[in-house]
Amino acid sequence: MPVLNRRALLRRSMALAAAMPLLGGVAPRAFAALPPMQAHEAAPGCWYVQGLSEMGSSANQNFISNAGFIVTSASVVVVDALGSPALAERLLGEIRKVTPKPISHVILTHYHADHIYGLQVFKALGARIIAQQSGREYLYSETARLRLQASRTELAPWIDENTHLVAADQWIDGPTKLTVGDTELQIIPVGPAHTPDDVVVWLPQRKVLYSGDLVFRGRIPYVGDADSGHWILSLDELLKLGAQAVVPGHGAISLDARKDMQFTRDYLAYLRKSMGQAAQDMTPFDEAYQATDWSRYEHMPLFGAANRMNAYNTYLLMEHEAK
């Protein structure tokens, strides 16, 4: 075994051993069955990997979101960097199964932790990182710092003291066309929606849309402090593109864009209608939540983890919009 590989293995073993007290005594064998990662082709040259419909954890390496990569005649463009450096290394391995071409760009759909903690791996390879300029506010915020600090405990050993936040090399403030080799990519800002800095990546020649977290498929969306009203309007605009394949931020690829984008749209609209009426009537949130019919959604993954928080944040948003 080469010296470098032995050293890397030793560092990973030491990190895992050091993390044992933080993980409540989870045995090393718990990490023997890491979630599989396999690249799938959405259209010629357009690939993606699909994360789990779970909350981020040490057991899943924070593999809870999707990422993509586009193989052009000149190089590879990556869309999102996944939720840990270890995952980014695995994504790089999947890319190398497809092509030896260099990775020239990483486009971030937004600066949420499960999409950015792998950035340093691609930055070290010389990739140019592109993101929407509103992401700077989060990147340099106390919220981002504290989130990373907590992740070093909650997601150890995959997030550790060597994991750091990476700024974009190019901050865009409007629609941006990127031509790499024979491939045209359109980077379209759509925030504020899921986040203030959302963008989507559209390949008009191949009719493929990398939607980031504007689209969740097969699970409850994470709404957080989103601008759900503008999110709905953005989805309406994206439906006009005529995408034949949509790679969502979470969940399986969609080959029926209207149906699957409509699901996210309808969920947001239902939150706004139910919580908006409650806020207008000054019904206390707990009472309003209990009285709302969630039967269409309660069977879905992460309903228990996300729906109540989504509803509460929407309740506060609707109160604010009513003022």
Side-chain angles (χ1 to χ4, degrees), residues 46-57:
C46 298
W47 297 78
Y48 69 98
V49 297
Q50 180 180 333
L52 305 172
S53 291
E54 298 178 359
M55 302 295 286
S57 68

Side-chain angles (χ1 to χ4, degrees), residues 83-216:
S84 65
L87 285 174
E89 290 169 359
R90 293 176 63 191
L91 175 58
L92 179 60
E94 291 300 305
I95 295 171
R96 289 293 167 249
K97 292 176 184 178
V98 174
T99 179
K101 292 177 180 177
I103 296 169
S104 58
H105 299 81
V106 178
I107 303 171
L108 288 182
T109 62
H110 61 294
Y111 259 96
H112 270 179
D114 54 323
H115 297 260
I116 66 167
Y117 281 169
L119 269 178
Q120 62 195 66
V121 171
F122 297 106
K123 182 67 175 177
L125 296 174
R128 181 173 179 81
I129 301 166
I130 303 173
Q132 205 275 339
Q133 64 176 356
S134 296
R136 280 186 289 199
E137 182 176 348
Y138 173 78
L139 177 66
Y140 297 113
S141 69
E142 185 71 357
T143 300
R145 187 189 70 80
L146 292 174
R147 176 66 185 270
L148 178 57
Q149 180 179 307
S151 294
R152 287 172 174 149
T153 298
E154 297 165 0
L155 300 174
W158 316 113
I159 305 296
D160 60 18
E161 68 279 0
N162 295 314
T163 308
H164 56 272
L165 299 171
V166 178
D169 300 293
Q170 179 180 351
W171 298 101
I172 65 171
D173 60 1
T176 302
K177 184 183 295 186
L178 176 67
T179 301
V180 182
D182 60 352
T183 303
E184 176 189 315
L185 301 94
Q186 295 179 10
I187 308 170
I188 306 171
V190 288
H194 174 70
T195 67
D197 56 302
D198 291 306
V199 303
V200 299
V201 180
W202 169 236
L203 287 86
Q205 297 163 321
R206 307 182 197 183
K207 300 296 182 184
V208 174
L209 177 70
Y210 291 88
S211 71
D213 282 7
L214 257 73
V215 179
F216 286 71

Side-chain angles (χ1 to χ4, degrees), residues 15-97:
L16 183 57
M20 285 301 104
L22 300 174
L23 302 178
V26 176
R29 65 187 178 188
F31 295 101
L34 291 172
M37 181 187 293
Q38 181 179 356
H40 302 278
E41 198 169 17
C46 298
W47 297 78
Y48 69 98
V49 297
Q50 180 180 333
L52 305 172
S53 291
E54 298 178 359
M55 302 295 286
S57 68
S58 297
N60 63 29
Q61 290 186 313
N62 205 26
F63 188 25
I64 60 171
S65 62
N66 301 344
F69 61 96
I70 299 112
V71 181
T72 79
S73 61
S75 61
V76 178
V77 178
V78 172
V79 180
D80 288 336
L82 298 178
S84 65
L87 285 174
E89 290 169 359
R90 293 176 63 191
L91 175 58
L92 179 60
E94 291 300 305
I95 295 171
R96 289 293 167 249
K97 292 176 184 178

